[in-house]
């Protein structure tokens, strides 16, 4: 197997967090397998979360009715996107696998990571109306979510107070990752690390370390409805 490149898009404020430990384990074990691993540490980078006209250098085409997707697509074609977006595009282009590591906030990713998604998955670069889902531009790449929760697993079951986690993850896994063509690997969910004794936290981290050793060989999830209707 040729050496793989991995991008970890990481959102946590503290290097002492469980998320930091999960990210560090991924860097360590993937590097040990010969992968080249890059980390976009979003809080450390003070990554801009808002999609604005400042993401384009120079004049925008239509300041009176600014349309973000249209304007950034044209700016990407003309090499006029801001440097921070261009740098993330470079990392994404090189990556064979992208891991999103984050604490779940309000059933989704933290705002800073949503900002990365809004700004980096530029129209034209990450998707077009013709090239999405199983025909998506990133169909040769894999991606996955790795995250912590405050909730226990039973609370995210079909009969739990939060409902089924698969439903919660549909917008992220299908609407964003699979939309751009990524082959999506099963999520790595660390249930309630802050409400668990240290032995349980160690066991969760150990299970992640074990999984990381075979991660590149895993079969992706299938998204029957959109693959079906897309064709
Ligand atoms: N936990 C959940 O299980 N579901 C949520 O929707 C959720 N929303 C949150 C929103 C905010 C703004 C914050 C600060 C926390 C939320 N939590 C939620 C709890 C965090 O997911 C939890 O504290 C975190 O995963 C713990 O990981 P850490 O120790 O690495 O910080």
């Amino acid at each position: 197997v040729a050496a793989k490149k991995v991008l970890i898009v990481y959102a946590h404020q503290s290097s002492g967090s469980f998320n930091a430990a999960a990210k560090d384990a991924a860097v360590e074990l993937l590097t040990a397998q010969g992968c080249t691993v890059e980390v976009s540490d979003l809080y450390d980078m003070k990554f801009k979360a808002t999609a604005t006209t400042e993401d384009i250098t120079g004049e925008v085409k239509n300041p009176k009715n600014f349309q973000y997707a249209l304007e950034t697509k044209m700016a990407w074609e003309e090499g006029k996107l801001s440097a921070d977006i261009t740098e993330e595009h470079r990392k994404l282009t090189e990556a064979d696998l992208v891991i999103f590591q984050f604490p779940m906030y309000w059933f989704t990713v933290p705002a800073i990571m949503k900002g990365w998604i809004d700004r980096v998955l530029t129209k034209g670069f990450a998707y077009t109306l013709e090239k999405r889902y199983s025909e998506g531009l990133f169909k040769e790449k894999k991606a996955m979510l790795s995250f912590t929760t405050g909730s226990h697993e039973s609370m995210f079951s079909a009969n739990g107070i939060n409902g089924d986690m698969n439903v919660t993850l549909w917008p992220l896994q299908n609407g964003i990752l699979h939309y751009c063509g990524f082959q999506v690997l099963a999520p790595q969910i660390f249930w309630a690390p802050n409400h668990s004794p240290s032995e349980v936290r160690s066991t969760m981290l150990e299970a992640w370390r074990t999984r990381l050793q075979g991660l590149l060989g895993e079969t992706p999830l299938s998204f029957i409805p959109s693959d079906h209707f897309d064709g």
Side-chain angles (χ1 to χ4, degrees):
V1 184
K4 297 284 182 188
K5 291 206 172 187
V6 182
L7 170 61
I8 303 178
V9 184
Y10 166 69
H12 201 287
Q13 307 87 343
S14 169
S15 59
S17 64
F18 191 91
N19 271 277
K23 179 261 295 172
D24 291 343
V27 173
E28 182 195 326
L29 282 133
L30 292 165
T31 305
Q33 292 168 59
C35 296
T36 307
V37 185
E38 277 197 277
V39 178
S40 287
D41 183 341
L42 302 181
Y43 289 105
D44 189 60
M45 293 156 77
K46 300 196 188 321
F47 195 80
K48 177 176 173 280
T50 50
T52 69
T53 57
E54 289 158 34
D55 294 349
I56 295 155
T57 58
E59 304 276 294
V60 302
K61 310 273 181 200
N62 189 349
K64 286 214 174 73
N65 181 20
F66 177 71
Q67 293 177 272
Y68 188 82
L70 185 67
E71 293 260 6
T72 51
K73 176 178 180 283
M74 292 188 291
W76 170 69
E77 287 165 350
E78 295 168 10
K80 289 182 179 169
L81 283 175
S82 64
D84 62 340
I85 296 176
T86 303
E87 175 62 3
E88 296 307 299
H89 280 184
R90 195 235 354 123
K91 296 176 190 172
L92 204 40
T93 300
E94 292 178 7
D96 301 295
L97 168 67
V98 183
I99 301 175
F100 292 86
Q101 180 66 55
F102 59 95
M104 174 170 274
Y105 278 8
W106 292 113
F107 280 47
T108 187
V109 296
I112 199 165
M113 186 174 277
K114 182 56 162 52
W116 188 96
I117 292 166
D118 290 351
R119 298 179 62 237
V120 176
L121 300 180
T122 310
K123 185 173 186 175
F125 169 75
Y127 69 95
T128 67
L129 298 187
E130 296 75 37
K131 293 189 174 171
R132 49 188 173 177
Y133 292 119
S134 53
E135 296 304 316
L137 291 167
F138 296 156
K139 66 183 177 187
E140 304 303 328
K141 302 180 189 296
K142 292 176 181 169
M144 67 171 289
L145 307 177
S146 175
F147 61 95
T148 57
T149 67
S151 304
H152 291 285
E153 185 168 11
S154 58
M155 296 158 74
F156 264 109
S157 63
N159 297 318
I161 56 167
N162 297 330
D164 193 330
M165 181 57 96
N166 288 317
V167 176
T168 303
L169 298 183
W170 181 259
L172 293 170
Q173 294 192 144
N174 190 63
I176 299 168
L177 300 180
H178 186 48
Y179 188 83
C180 295
F182 282 112
Q183 301 171 44
V184 183
L185 300 182
Q188 179 72 24
I189 310 178
F190 302 102
W191 300 102
N194 290 343
H195 304 289
S196 305
S198 65
E199 311 86 76
V200 176
R201 285 206 300 274
S202 302
T203 305
M204 287 195 284
L205 215 46
E206 212 41 60
W208 176 224
R209 294 174 71 88
T210 302
R211 184 179 175 196
L212 280 160
Q213 292 173 35
L215 194 67
L216 295 161
E218 286 186 13
T219 305
L221 302 174
S222 52
F223 294 91
I224 308 291
S226 51
D227 282 347
H228 181 72
F229 291 116
D230 212 36

